[in-house]
Amino acid sequence: MENEEAITIGSIVSVGRYEILYATAPYNDESNGEVDDIQTIQYLNNAHVRYNEVYLHYEIDWREKGKSINAINFLMPKDKGHLQDVFVTTPHGLIKKNKTGIGATTLELNSPRNSIIVVPTRALAYGKAISSRIEGDPNKYKVLYVGGEITGFTVPTISSYLMDSSIHYKKFIVVADSLQRLLEVIGKEHYRDYFLMVDEIDSYQYDCSYRPNIEKVMDYYFQFPISHRCLVSATMGEFSNKDIVEEPVINVQFSAPQSRNINLVHTDKAEIRLKKLIEEIASSNPNDKILIAYNSVRGCATIINSFSDSLKSECAILCSSKNEEITEYYSDIVEDKLPKRITFMTCTYFVGVDITERFHLITAINVSKSYTILSTDKLQQIAGRCRHPEGLLSETIIYTTKHIDNANLPGLPAQVLKDAEALATFGNLFPKLKSAFPNSYYFRDDFKEKDFIESTTKRYLGGTPVQLVRKNTDGIFVPSYFNIDFVRIQVDLLGRLYSKPNSLPDTLKAEGHVIEIHDYTENSDISFSIRTQTEEDFQQAIILQREDLIAKLREAESILERERIARSLITQRCSQQNSLFLEPV
């Protein structure tokens, strides 16, 4: 954080971007039954603490005593409590909540101020908005949903909602891809009238490689005043973006760890082992539901296609709405319940979705598909989707490993960041150099921004190719920090958890979980014909969707109208491949 001397004025401590205001409050000492006046926190980073109801146990993690702070840590009064038990409003900065289900979004939705809450998925936004319906009017909500269209869900326009004087505090819950549309209506001059919360910020690091526009959220985030913004996650890691690193950190701590009973299955072929386990549980527990977390839509569809017809009919996939026309198994959460007896979900649903029934959870990690690799924090986050009081019926983690030479891994993320910074500098300088030296051989070609950005794409460790540079909302080339974070996460996890079979179980044990270990070498696999047919089905669906998109674009009466339709289609309904097809439109 900022290296500034501490300022103490009466009962105020201010260091850099941290601020604590103290108050005197009665405290009941249970050891002697006496009530004493003590100094407690009244405000923390501009957030009002319920200091007359709770005594906030906290500590300042000093980087340098009196000069700079790493974080402010506070202990939740009870492990099953909610942030609303402690705060009236949300503190500004990075909120590391370290546990799912403690109500960070709910706190801000109930706070007495105007709020914009950005969430990574349409399902999460819809769930929060639909519960705010105002009685007596079927299409009126205290919280306005802003995102892609949802069948059967009608909401007022942004302008109509802003003009509704019966709703005193304006609360928007917006899908990340639609934030720009909302802010254009609100207007930059009114940003100071809102508190901006970006929820589940860690998911952006995982999703940015296939949702490049998601990083624009951070461009807008830093346009809000420091005291009017926060980033929230239960599983927050490190960031390459120095501006995020500069944000003050509020670290929520708990007395008791979240210990889980886990069946840990190491195998050489993740998908065939997953198929067999699903069939075993479905056969032995015919009345129980099964949820499979596997971050590969094609992988999920391939496994389903390998089942018998009767089992296929009981399957669904929870995934991005952009796959709705791509796979026949696409579905959505139904009233906090799983849509089918056997439900697969991709990372779109790893965060923020509450499932109120019990189920057997299987999480699959396939190192041959780097985008399926998960940290132990993510595994905890996925398990936290079950909000039934009795918890999961069972939890199994299937994983594969790949030996990697760790010698060069530690320095790779730093090198990737340096490469991205150099490329961004080049992109910003090229037009200036071309203008200054019009006769130079080296600057004779036109500079095509889209081609340049695509040329910065690179594959690391055989993983998913990532784009190192993007253009921000000010039209400046900058490093794609979330993509760089994604590379760092993959490097760390491959080297630390998935290069040896015993690394993951040892880590989970050290975190306090009860582990039962199994090891399988598979003598069969899902047939080549099923894999081939699944791939052909996907490609055909993409082609049909593209033909439909072309027909819609041809209906436009002007170039501007065509561009508007293209932007809408990209954010709302088209596959990744067709999003790339629409970008130049």
Side-chain angles (χ1 to χ4, degrees):
M1 311 313 152
E2 297 166 357
N3 186 16
E4 299 180 13
E5 293 288 340
I7 302 171
T8 305
I9 306 174
S11 58
I12 299 176
V13 173
S14 179
V15 182
R17 294 184 176 183
Y18 293 86
E19 186 169 85
I20 302 174
L21 174 64
Y22 295 98
T24 300
Y27 174 68
N28 185 12
D29 190 342
E30 295 181 358
S31 63
N32 57 25
E34 296 181 359
V35 177
D36 299 314
D37 286 339
I38 61 166
Q39 192 178 58
T40 186
I41 295 179
Q42 181 179 4
Y43 286 91
L44 174 60
N45 276 18
N46 206 38
H48 185 183
V49 177
R50 299 182 186 277
Y51 68 98
N52 282 320
E53 302 169 31
V54 296
Y55 173 67
L56 197 61
H57 293 271
Y58 78 100
E59 66 174 1
I60 298 176
D61 178 10
W62 291 101
R63 179 180 298 168
E64 186 177 355
K65 185 69 173 179
K67 292 186 177 181
S68 61
I69 294 174
N70 286 318
I72 294 178
N73 307 320
F74 76 86
L75 185 68
M76 283 292 286
K78 51 185 178 180
D79 278 343
K80 293 187 178 180
H82 297 86
L83 288 177
Q84 200 164 244
D85 301 332
V86 176
F87 295 103
V88 175
T89 54
T90 313
H92 66 81
L94 263 68
I95 314 297
K96 296 186 176 183
K97 58 182 184 175
N98 294 311
K99 192 175 185 179
T100 58
I102 66 170
T105 306
T106 301
L107 167 63
E108 189 53 40
L109 287 175
N110 292 334
S111 65
R113 62 185 176 191
N114 300 325
S115 309
I116 300 169
I117 300 173
V118 187
V119 295
T121 69
R122 186 175 68 167
L124 178 53
Y126 170 77
K128 296 295 183 182
I130 195 71
S131 62
S132 73
R133 177 178 281 142
I134 296 173
E135 191 173 347
D137 190 332
N139 296 322
K140 189 171 180 178
Y141 304 86
K142 293 180 181 177
V143 179
L144 188 71
Y145 164 86
V146 182
E149 293 182 7
I150 297 175
T151 303
F153 184 47
T154 303
V155 296
T157 64
I158 297 168
S159 297
S160 297
Y161 178 77
L162 287 170
M163 295 292 290
D164 190 339
S165 59
S166 68
I167 301 175
H168 184 60
Y169 294 114
K170 306 303 181 184
K171 302 287 182 179
F172 294 95
I173 189 150
V174 54
V175 178
D177 293 325
S178 299
L179 178 61
Q180 179 179 350
R181 175 161 62 94
L182 170 63
L183 294 181
E184 285 174 351
V185 177
I186 288 176
K188 193 170 183 178
E189 68 274 16
H190 295 296
Y191 287 3
R192 67 174 64 90
D193 299 328
Y194 290 84
F195 187 87
L196 176 67
M197 170 187 283
V198 181
D199 199 14
E200 309 295 355
I201 185 63
D202 61 294
S203 69
Y204 295 58
Q205 296 170 311
Y206 283 83
D207 297 354
C208 194
S209 62
Y210 65 91
R211 292 174 66 188
N213 287 329
I214 206 170
E215 197 151 15
K216 288 183 180 177
V217 169
M218 296 312 302
D219 295 338
Y220 295 114
Y221 176 85
F222 288 111
Q223 293 174 17
F224 280 70
I226 292 171
S227 61
H228 288 59
R229 68 195 192 204
C230 76
L231 305 171
V232 181
S233 176
T235 57
M236 195 176 293
E238 298 178 10
F239 295 93
S240 302
N241 188 331
K242 294 177 182 177
D243 290 332
I244 296 180
V245 175
E246 289 294 323
E247 292 288 271
V249 177
I250 308 297
N251 191 29
V252 185
Q253 298 179 329
F254 300 85
S255 297
Q258 288 182 291
S259 178
R260 314 196 310 273
N261 295 320
I262 303 171
N263 298 312
L264 205 56
V265 178
H266 177 256
T267 181
D268 59 335
K269 296 176 184 175
E271 291 183 354
I272 187 64
R273 175 46 44 191
L274 185 52
K275 164 188 163 66
K276 291 177 179 178
L277 182 58
I278 294 167
E279 289 172 336
E280 290 172 10
I281 295 176
S283 175
S284 58
N285 302 274
N287 297 319
D288 294 347
K289 286 191 173 181
I290 307 169
L291 177 64
I292 304 99
Y294 186 37
N295 191 31
S296 171
V297 178
R298 279 179 172 81
C300 295
T302 298
I303 294 166
I304 295 173
N305 287 337
S306 72
F307 290 150
S308 65
D309 289 343
S310 60
L311 209 55
K312 267 187 210 176
S313 65
E314 297 191 83
C315 293
I317 302 177
L318 301 173
C319 55
S320 169
S321 59
K322 294 187 176 186
N323 290 303
E324 185 170 359
E325 297 175 353
I326 305 303
T327 174
E328 62 181 302
Y329 303 112
Y330 174 87
S331 190
D332 212 333
I333 292 286
V334 180
E335 296 181 349
D336 297 337
K337 302 289 194 300
L338 297 173
K340 291 289 185 77
R341 186 162 80 98
I342 302 170
T343 302
F344 292 74
M345 71 173 178
T346 64
C347 66
T348 298
Y349 280 82
F350 288 0
V351 296
V353 176
D354 298 343
I355 303 170
T356 55
E357 59 186 342
R358 302 188 77 190
F359 52 84
H360 298 276
L361 172 63
I362 309 171
T363 304
I365 296 148
N366 185 354
V367 294
S368 66
K369 298 179 178 180
S370 61
Y371 44 86
T372 71
I373 295 174
L374 302 169
S375 66
T376 55
D377 283 344
K378 277 290 180 185
L379 295 171
Q380 173 187 312
Q381 192 176 60
I382 292 167
R385 302 282 59 83
C386 179
R387 297 300 173 83
H388 191 281
E390 296 180 44
L392 297 166
L393 293 170
S394 70
E395 179 179 1
T396 303
I397 299 171
I398 295 174
Y399 71 106
T400 61
T401 52
K402 178 171 66 176
H403 178 71
I404 294 175
D405 183 2
N406 293 341
N408 297 320
L409 288 183
L412 181 58
Q415 186 58 54
V416 174
L417 179 57
K418 287 182 180 178
D419 291 345
E421 290 172 340
L423 286 164
T425 300
F426 171 79
N428 291 320
L429 281 175
F430 190 96
K432 298 176 184 178
L433 292 170
K434 181 177 175 62
S435 176
F437 302 96
N439 298 321
S440 171
Y441 172 85
Y442 295 101
F443 305 121
R444 71 188 189 285
D445 295 328
D446 290 334
F447 183 73
K448 297 180 179 179
E449 294 179 352
K450 183 175 181 293
D451 291 345
F452 168 67
I453 290 173
E454 289 180 355
S455 74
T456 69
T457 300
K458 191 172 181 179
R459 187 188 302 271
Y460 295 92
L461 301 175
T464 305
V466 295
Q467 178 183 291
L468 298 185
V469 169
R470 68 182 184 92
K471 208 167 190 184
N472 68 13
T473 54
D474 292 324
I476 299 170
F477 289 110
V478 294
S480 183
Y481 289 112
F482 285 151
N483 274 347
I484 295 166
D485 289 340
F486 179 75
V487 173
R488 176 186 50 74
I489 290 168
Q490 300 306 300
V491 166
D492 171 62
L493 296 181
L494 281 170
R496 184 169 54 85
L497 291 183
Y498 300 107
S499 62
K500 299 177 182 177
N502 63 331
S503 296
L504 181 60
D506 287 349
T507 302
L508 289 169
K509 285 179 184 177
E511 292 177 358
H513 305 296
V514 179
I515 308 298
E516 185 176 320
I517 304 172
H518 309 271
D519 203 310
Y520 292 91
T521 300
E522 305 296 343
N523 55 14
S524 62
D525 203 351
I526 295 173
S527 73
F528 178 76
S529 62
I530 289 175
R531 292 187 182 278
T532 301
Q533 186 60 54
T534 302
E535 183 62 29
E536 289 177 358
D537 290 345
F538 269 75
Q539 293 305 320
Q540 183 62 29
I542 289 169
I543 291 169
L544 290 173
Q545 185 187 67
R546 185 172 301 176
E547 291 174 352
D548 182 50
L549 296 175
I550 292 170
K552 283 181 166 54
L553 291 173
R554 283 175 174 164
E555 294 172 1
E557 297 180 355
S558 67
I559 293 176
L560 288 177
E561 176 68 8
R562 185 178 299 168
E563 290 176 348
R564 186 193 66 77
I565 292 172
R567 285 197 302 270
S568 175
L569 292 170
I570 287 172
T571 56
Q572 292 186 20
R573 53 166 287 202
C574 52
S575 66
Q576 182 182 0
Q577 293 92 327
N578 286 331
S579 292
L580 295 173
F581 162 73
L582 285 173
E583 276 185 1
V585 172

Tab-separated table of all heavy atoms in Angstrom, residues 322-361:
chain	number	residue	atom	x	y	z
A	322	LYS	N	-24.059	-18.312	-23.503
A	322	LYS	CA	-23.563	-18.262	-24.879
A	322	LYS	C	-23.521	-19.653	-25.504
A	322	LYS	O	-23.335	-19.788	-26.715
A	322	LYS	CB	-22.176	-17.615	-24.902
A	322	LYS	CG	-22.222	-16.147	-24.484
A	322	LYS	CD	-20.887	-15.467	-24.659
A	322	LYS	CE	-21.013	-13.991	-24.329
A	322	LYS	NZ	-19.774	-13.231	-24.610
A	323	ASN	N	-23.680	-20.695	-24.677
A	323	ASN	CA	-23.705	-22.068	-25.197
A	323	ASN	C	-25.119	-22.617	-25.338
A	323	ASN	O	-25.295	-23.792	-25.641
A	323	ASN	CB	-22.893	-22.983	-24.276
A	323	ASN	CG	-21.410	-22.709	-24.362
A	323	ASN	OD1	-20.811	-22.773	-25.428
A	323	ASN	ND2	-20.805	-22.377	-23.231
A	324	GLU	N	-26.123	-21.749	-25.112
A	324	GLU	CA	-27.510	-22.224	-25.125
A	324	GLU	C	-27.880	-22.857	-26.462
A	324	GLU	O	-28.617	-23.852	-26.509
A	324	GLU	CB	-28.457	-21.064	-24.808
A	324	GLU	CG	-29.905	-21.488	-24.694
A	324	GLU	CD	-30.800	-20.388	-24.154
A	324	GLU	OE1	-30.273	-19.295	-23.845
A	324	GLU	OE2	-32.001	-20.630	-24.037
A	325	GLU	N	-27.370	-22.305	-27.554
A	325	GLU	CA	-27.690	-22.834	-28.881
A	325	GLU	C	-26.643	-23.838	-29.363
A	325	GLU	O	-26.779	-24.393	-30.458
A	325	GLU	CB	-27.784	-21.685	-29.882
A	325	GLU	CG	-28.909	-20.705	-29.564
A	325	GLU	CD	-28.904	-19.509	-30.491
A	325	GLU	OE1	-27.951	-19.387	-31.293
A	325	GLU	OE2	-29.835	-18.693	-30.419
A	326	ILE	N	-25.621	-24.079	-28.554
A	326	ILE	CA	-24.510	-24.921	-28.983
A	326	ILE	C	-24.636	-26.357	-28.483
A	326	ILE	O	-24.229	-27.302	-29.154
A	326	ILE	CB	-23.164	-24.309	-28.524
A	326	ILE	CG1	-23.039	-22.865	-29.022
A	326	ILE	CG2	-21.991	-25.139	-28.995
A	326	ILE	CD1	-23.158	-22.707	-30.530
A	327	THR	N	-25.205	-26.532	-27.299
A	327	THR	CA	-25.377	-27.898	-26.798
A	327	THR	C	-26.820	-28.149	-26.395
A	327	THR	O	-27.456	-27.302	-25.746
A	327	THR	CB	-24.451	-28.183	-25.601
A	327	THR	OG1	-24.757	-29.485	-25.070
A	327	THR	CG2	-24.597	-27.148	-24.508
A	328	GLU	N	-27.339	-29.287	-26.765
A	328	GLU	CA	-28.728	-29.641	-26.459
A	328	GLU	C	-28.959	-29.848	-24.972
A	328	GLU	O	-30.100	-29.860	-24.499
A	328	GLU	CB	-29.101	-30.929	-27.204
A	328	GLU	CG	-28.257	-32.129	-26.797
A	328	GLU	CD	-28.607	-33.398	-27.549
A	328	GLU	OE1	-29.782	-33.813	-27.467
A	328	GLU	OE2	-27.712	-33.940	-28.221
A	329	TYR	N	-27.885	-29.998	-24.200
A	329	TYR	CA	-28.022	-30.280	-22.762
A	329	TYR	C	-28.032	-29.009	-21.916
A	329	TYR	O	-28.111	-29.078	-20.695
A	329	TYR	CB	-26.881	-31.190	-22.299
A	329	TYR	CG	-26.799	-32.491	-23.064
A	329	TYR	CD1	-25.728	-32.759	-23.917
A	329	TYR	CD2	-27.808	-33.448	-22.954
A	329	TYR	CE1	-25.655	-33.952	-24.626
A	329	TYR	CE2	-27.750	-34.648	-23.664
A	329	TYR	CZ	-26.665	-34.889	-24.496
A	329	TYR	OH	-26.593	-36.060	-25.204
A	330	TYR	N	-27.946	-27.844	-22.546
A	330	TYR	CA	-27.918	-26.577	-21.806
A	330	TYR	C	-29.140	-26.447	-20.906
A	330	TYR	O	-30.262	-26.766	-21.291
A	330	TYR	CB	-27.884	-25.397	-22.777
A	330	TYR	CG	-27.996	-24.045	-22.093
A	330	TYR	CD1	-26.869	-23.393	-21.620
A	330	TYR	CD2	-29.251	-23.457	-21.901
A	330	TYR	CE1	-26.975	-22.168	-20.987
A	330	TYR	CE2	-29.362	-22.230	-21.254
A	330	TYR	CZ	-28.223	-21.582	-20.807
A	330	TYR	OH	-28.336	-20.379	-20.162
A	331	SER	N	-28.906	-25.947	-19.685
A	331	SER	CA	-30.017	-25.720	-18.764
A	331	SER	C	-29.636	-24.611	-17.792
A	331	SER	O	-28.582	-23.996	-17.910
A	331	SER	CB	-30.368	-26.998	-18.001
A	331	SER	OG	-31.572	-26.841	-17.279
A	332	ASP	N	-30.524	-24.369	-16.829
A	332	ASP	CA	-30.280	-23.327	-15.839
A	332	ASP	C	-30.808	-23.796	-14.484
A	332	ASP	O	-31.603	-24.739	-14.405
A	332	ASP	CB	-30.981	-22.030	-16.254
A	332	ASP	CG	-30.215	-20.799	-15.791
A	332	ASP	OD1	-29.492	-20.903	-14.784
A	332	ASP	OD2	-30.339	-19.744	-16.441
A	333	ILE	N	-30.362	-23.120	-13.434
A	333	ILE	CA	-30.864	-23.405	-12.089
A	333	ILE	C	-32.361	-23.101	-12.040
A	333	ILE	O	-32.813	-22.099	-12.594
A	333	ILE	CB	-30.118	-22.548	-11.048
A	333	ILE	CG1	-28.645	-22.988	-10.942
A	333	ILE	CG2	-30.791	-22.600	-9.699
A	333	ILE	CD1	-28.437	-24.289	-10.218
A	334	VAL	N	-33.127	-23.936	-11.392
A	334	VAL	CA	-34.565	-23.732	-11.266
A	334	VAL	C	-34.905	-23.578	-9.789
A	334	VAL	O	-34.850	-24.535	-9.012
A	334	VAL	CB	-35.360	-24.914	-11.868
A	334	VAL	CG1	-36.856	-24.669	-11.721
A	334	VAL	CG2	-34.979	-25.135	-13.326
A	335	GLU	N	-35.199	-22.328	-9.376
A	335	GLU	CA	-35.575	-22.029	-7.991
A	335	GLU	C	-34.587	-22.639	-6.996
A	335	GLU	O	-34.965	-23.345	-6.055
A	335	GLU	CB	-37.001	-22.508	-7.704
A	335	GLU	CG	-38.053	-21.780	-8.526
A	335	GLU	CD	-39.463	-22.256	-8.210
A	335	GLU	OE1	-39.601	-23.288	-7.519
A	335	GLU	OE2	-40.414	-21.592	-8.663
A	336	ASP	N	-33.309	-22.369	-7.218
A	336	ASP	CA	-32.223	-22.848	-6.346
A	336	ASP	C	-32.102	-24.363	-6.314
A	336	ASP	O	-31.531	-24.930	-5.379
A	336	ASP	CB	-32.395	-22.319	-4.907
A	336	ASP	CG	-32.299	-20.808	-4.840
A	336	ASP	OD1	-31.700	-20.230	-5.745
A	336	ASP	OD2	-32.829	-20.224	-3.878
A	337	LYS	N	-32.660	-25.033	-7.321
A	337	LYS	CA	-32.588	-26.495	-7.403
A	337	LYS	C	-31.846	-26.895	-8.686
A	337	LYS	O	-31.858	-26.167	-9.682
A	337	LYS	CB	-33.991	-27.110	-7.416
A	337	LYS	CG	-34.855	-26.775	-6.204
A	337	LYS	CD	-34.369	-27.481	-4.957
A	337	LYS	CE	-35.407	-27.425	-3.832
A	337	LYS	NZ	-35.766	-26.070	-3.404
A	338	LEU	N	-31.234	-28.070	-8.660
A	338	LEU	CA	-30.579	-28.594	-9.848
A	338	LEU	C	-31.641	-29.021	-10.852
A	338	LEU	O	-32.646	-29.631	-10.479
A	338	LEU	CB	-29.677	-29.769	-9.486
A	338	LEU	CG	-28.504	-29.437	-8.548
A	338	LEU	CD1	-27.779	-30.703	-8.123
A	338	LEU	CD2	-27.541	-28.480	-9.222
A	339	PRO	N	-31.448	-28.725	-12.147
A	339	PRO	CA	-32.504	-28.978	-13.134
A	339	PRO	C	-32.740	-30.449	-13.442
A	339	PRO	O	-33.838	-30.826	-13.848
A	339	PRO	CB	-32.013	-28.234	-14.376
A	339	PRO	CG	-30.532	-28.164	-14.221
A	339	PRO	CD	-30.283	-28.049	-12.752
A	340	LYS	N	-31.723	-31.305	-13.292
A	340	LYS	CA	-31.854	-32.733	-13.590
A	340	LYS	C	-31.178	-33.542	-12.494
A	340	LYS	O	-30.450	-33.016	-11.643
A	340	LYS	CB	-31.207	-33.065	-14.943
A	340	LYS	CG	-31.930	-32.508	-16.162
A	340	LYS	CD	-33.248	-33.227	-16.410
A	340	LYS	CE	-33.936	-32.775	-17.683
A	340	LYS	NZ	-33.340	-33.343	-18.887
A	341	ARG	N	-31.420	-34.862	-12.516
A	341	ARG	CA	-30.802	-35.720	-11.493
A	341	ARG	C	-29.283	-35.709	-11.625
A	341	ARG	O	-28.561	-35.762	-10.625
A	341	ARG	CB	-31.323	-37.158	-11.604
A	341	ARG	CG	-30.812	-38.055	-10.470
A	341	ARG	CD	-31.658	-39.301	-10.347
A	341	ARG	NE	-31.319	-40.317	-11.308
A	341	ARG	CZ	-30.526	-41.362	-11.064
A	341	ARG	NH1	-29.965	-41.502	-9.880
A	341	ARG	NH2	-30.296	-42.260	-11.989
A	342	ILE	N	-28.784	-35.621	-12.862
A	342	ILE	CA	-27.344	-35.559	-13.106
A	342	ILE	C	-27.055	-34.236	-13.806
A	342	ILE	O	-27.434	-34.043	-14.968
A	342	ILE	CB	-26.866	-36.743	-13.964
A	342	ILE	CG1	-27.218	-38.059	-13.281
A	342	ILE	CG2	-25.368	-36.649	-14.218
A	342	ILE	CD1	-27.011	-39.280	-14.158
A	343	THR	N	-26.418	-33.323	-13.100
A	343	THR	CA	-26.182	-31.986	-13.625
A	343	THR	C	-24.686	-31.693	-13.652
A	343	THR	O	-24.004	-31.835	-12.636
A	343	THR	CB	-26.897	-30.921	-12.782
A	343	THR	OG1	-28.298	-31.202	-12.746
A	343	THR	CG2	-26.671	-29.539	-13.352
A	344	PHE	N	-24.213	-31.296	-14.819
A	344	PHE	CA	-22.833	-30.841	-14.963
A	344	PHE	C	-22.821	-29.322	-14.870
A	344	PHE	O	-23.793	-28.664	-15.257
A	344	PHE	CB	-22.264	-31.258	-16.327
A	344	PHE	CG	-22.073	-32.739	-16.505
A	344	PHE	CD1	-23.161	-33.585	-16.711
A	344	PHE	CD2	-20.798	-33.294	-16.487
A	344	PHE	CE1	-22.990	-34.948	-16.894
A	344	PHE	CE2	-20.609	-34.658	-16.675
A	344	PHE	CZ	-21.713	-35.491	-16.868
A	345	MET	N	-21.713	-28.760	-14.392
A	345	MET	CA	-21.587	-27.302	-14.431
A	345	MET	C	-20.152	-26.906	-14.756
A	345	MET	O	-19.201	-27.569	-14.359
A	345	MET	CB	-22.034	-26.664	-13.116
A	345	MET	CG	-21.129	-26.864	-11.921
A	345	MET	SD	-21.698	-25.874	-10.502
A	345	MET	CE	-20.486	-26.351	-9.249
A	346	THR	N	-20.029	-25.802	-15.507
A	346	THR	CA	-18.720	-25.248	-15.826
A	346	THR	C	-18.471	-24.047	-14.914
A	346	THR	O	-19.295	-23.715	-14.055
A	346	THR	CB	-18.648	-24.823	-17.301
A	346	THR	OG1	-19.589	-23.771	-17.532
A	346	THR	CG2	-18.971	-26.004	-18.210
A	347	CYS	N	-17.339	-23.357	-15.120
A	347	CYS	CA	-16.914	-22.328	-14.165
A	347	CYS	C	-17.882	-21.160	-14.057
A	347	CYS	O	-17.846	-20.419	-13.072
A	347	CYS	CB	-15.514	-21.829	-14.508
A	347	CYS	SG	-15.416	-20.941	-16.076
A	348	THR	N	-18.756	-20.981	-15.040
A	348	THR	CA	-19.783	-19.944	-14.938
A	348	THR	C	-20.581	-20.090	-13.647
A	348	THR	O	-21.010	-19.103	-13.048
A	348	THR	CB	-20.740	-20.023	-16.145
A	348	THR	OG1	-19.995	-19.777	-17.329
A	348	THR	CG2	-21.861	-19.016	-16.042
A	349	TYR	N	-20.761	-21.316	-13.200
A	349	TYR	CA	-21.574	-21.593	-12.015
A	349	TYR	C	-20.740	-21.927	-10.775
A	349	TYR	O	-21.297	-22.302	-9.748
A	349	TYR	CB	-22.554	-22.741	-12.307
A	349	TYR	CG	-23.757	-22.288	-13.075
A	349	TYR	CD1	-23.709	-22.137	-14.456
A	349	TYR	CD2	-24.939	-21.965	-12.436
A	349	TYR	CE1	-24.802	-21.698	-15.173
A	349	TYR	CE2	-26.051	-21.529	-13.132
A	349	TYR	CZ	-25.980	-21.397	-14.503
A	349	TYR	OH	-27.076	-20.952	-15.199
A	350	PHE	N	-19.418	-21.793	-10.854
A	350	PHE	CA	-18.590	-22.094	-9.691
A	350	PHE	C	-18.750	-21.043	-8.595
A	350	PHE	O	-18.384	-21.278	-7.452
A	350	PHE	CB	-17.106	-22.160	-10.082
A	350	PHE	CG	-16.729	-23.381	-10.895
A	350	PHE	CD1	-17.657	-24.343	-11.239
A	350	PHE	CD2	-15.422	-23.556	-11.312
A	350	PHE	CE1	-17.313	-25.447	-11.998
A	350	PHE	CE2	-15.055	-24.671	-12.072
A	350	PHE	CZ	-16.002	-25.605	-12.412
A	351	VAL	N	-19.255	-19.863	-8.961
A	351	VAL	CA	-19.349	-18.769	-8.000
A	351	VAL	C	-20.785	-18.304	-7.841
A	351	VAL	O	-21.572	-18.323	-8.778
A	351	VAL	CB	-18.479	-17.566	-8.438
A	351	VAL	CG1	-17.017	-17.939	-8.463
A	351	VAL	CG2	-18.902	-17.056	-9.812
A	352	GLY	N	-21.129	-17.929	-6.631
A	352	GLY	CA	-22.322	-17.152	-6.374
A	352	GLY	C	-23.666	-17.791	-6.569
A	352	GLY	O	-24.675	-17.108	-6.467
A	353	VAL	N	-23.731	-19.081	-6.858
A	353	VAL	CA	-25.027	-19.729	-7.071
A	353	VAL	C	-25.357	-20.569	-5.840
A	353	VAL	O	-24.551	-21.388	-5.402
A	353	VAL	CB	-25.013	-20.617	-8.330
A	353	VAL	CG1	-26.331	-21.347	-8.481
A	353	VAL	CG2	-24.736	-19.769	-9.564
A	354	ASP	N	-26.544	-20.357	-5.284
A	354	ASP	CA	-26.975	-21.099	-4.105
A	354	ASP	C	-27.855	-22.266	-4.529
A	354	ASP	O	-28.868	-22.070	-5.211
A	354	ASP	CB	-27.767	-20.198	-3.158
A	354	ASP	CG	-26.942	-19.033	-2.633
A	354	ASP	OD1	-25.708	-19.109	-2.738
A	354	ASP	OD2	-27.535	-18.062	-2.140
A	355	ILE	N	-27.477	-23.472	-4.110
A	355	ILE	CA	-28.274	-24.665	-4.377
A	355	ILE	C	-28.764	-25.181	-3.034
A	355	ILE	O	-27.962	-25.568	-2.176
A	355	ILE	CB	-27.447	-25.737	-5.117
A	355	ILE	CG1	-26.899	-25.149	-6.427
A	355	ILE	CG2	-28.303	-26.968	-5.402
A	355	ILE	CD1	-25.879	-26.018	-7.107
A	356	THR	N	-30.060	-25.181	-2.842
A	356	THR	CA	-30.626	-25.418	-1.517
A	356	THR	C	-30.992	-26.877	-1.253
A	356	THR	O	-31.632	-27.176	-0.241
A	356	THR	CB	-31.873	-24.543	-1.312
A	356	THR	OG1	-32.806	-24.787	-2.363
A	356	THR	CG2	-31.490	-23.075	-1.324
A	357	GLU	N	-30.615	-27.785	-2.151
A	357	GLU	CA	-30.870	-29.202	-1.930
A	357	GLU	C	-29.536	-29.941	-1.806
A	357	GLU	O	-28.484	-29.439	-2.200
A	357	GLU	CB	-31.699	-29.787	-3.070
A	357	GLU	CG	-31.045	-29.657	-4.440
A	357	GLU	CD	-31.956	-30.122	-5.557
A	357	GLU	OE1	-32.930	-30.840	-5.279
A	357	GLU	OE2	-31.690	-29.772	-6.717
A	358	ARG	N	-29.588	-31.153	-1.274
A	358	ARG	CA	-28.376	-31.953	-1.104
A	358	ARG	C	-28.057	-32.712	-2.398
A	358	ARG	O	-28.956	-33.036	-3.174
A	358	ARG	CB	-28.540	-32.945	0.056
A	358	ARG	CG	-28.855	-32.288	1.381
A	358	ARG	CD	-28.806	-33.310	2.513
A	358	ARG	NE	-27.424	-33.622	2.886
A	358	ARG	CZ	-27.080	-34.626	3.707
A	358	ARG	NH1	-28.011	-35.425	4.191
A	358	ARG	NH2	-25.813	-34.824	4.016
A	359	PHE	N	-26.786	-33.001	-2.596
A	359	PHE	CA	-26.362	-33.733	-3.793
A	359	PHE	C	-24.979	-34.318	-3.568
A	359	PHE	O	-24.253	-33.916	-2.650
A	359	PHE	CB	-26.366	-32.810	-5.016
A	359	PHE	CG	-25.607	-31.524	-4.827
A	359	PHE	CD1	-24.232	-31.457	-5.019
A	359	PHE	CD2	-26.274	-30.365	-4.445
A	359	PHE	CE1	-23.533	-30.284	-4.842
A	359	PHE	CE2	-25.580	-29.170	-4.260
A	359	PHE	CZ	-24.212	-29.130	-4.463
A	360	HIS	N	-24.628	-35.278	-4.408
A	360	HIS	CA	-23.268	-35.803	-4.450
A	360	HIS	C	-22.463	-34.880	-5.372
A	360	HIS	O	-22.848	-34.659	-6.529
A	360	HIS	CB	-23.246	-37.235	-5.001
A	360	HIS	CG	-24.013	-38.220	-4.178
A	360	HIS	ND1	-23.477	-38.853	-3.078
A	360	HIS	CD2	-25.296	-38.676	-4.295
A	360	HIS	CE1	-24.376	-39.668	-2.554
A	360	HIS	NE2	-25.494	-39.578	-3.268
A	361	LEU	N	-21.361	-34.364	-4.882
A	361	LEU	CA	-20.532	-33.458	-5.682
A	361	LEU	C	-19.304	-34.202	-6.205
A	361	LEU	O	-18.595	-34.853	-5.447
A	361	LEU	CB	-20.075	-32.262	-4.842
A	361	LEU	CG	-19.053	-31.326	-5.503
A	361	LEU	CD1	-19.646	-30.660	-6.740
A	361	LEU	CD2	-18.563	-30.274	-4.508
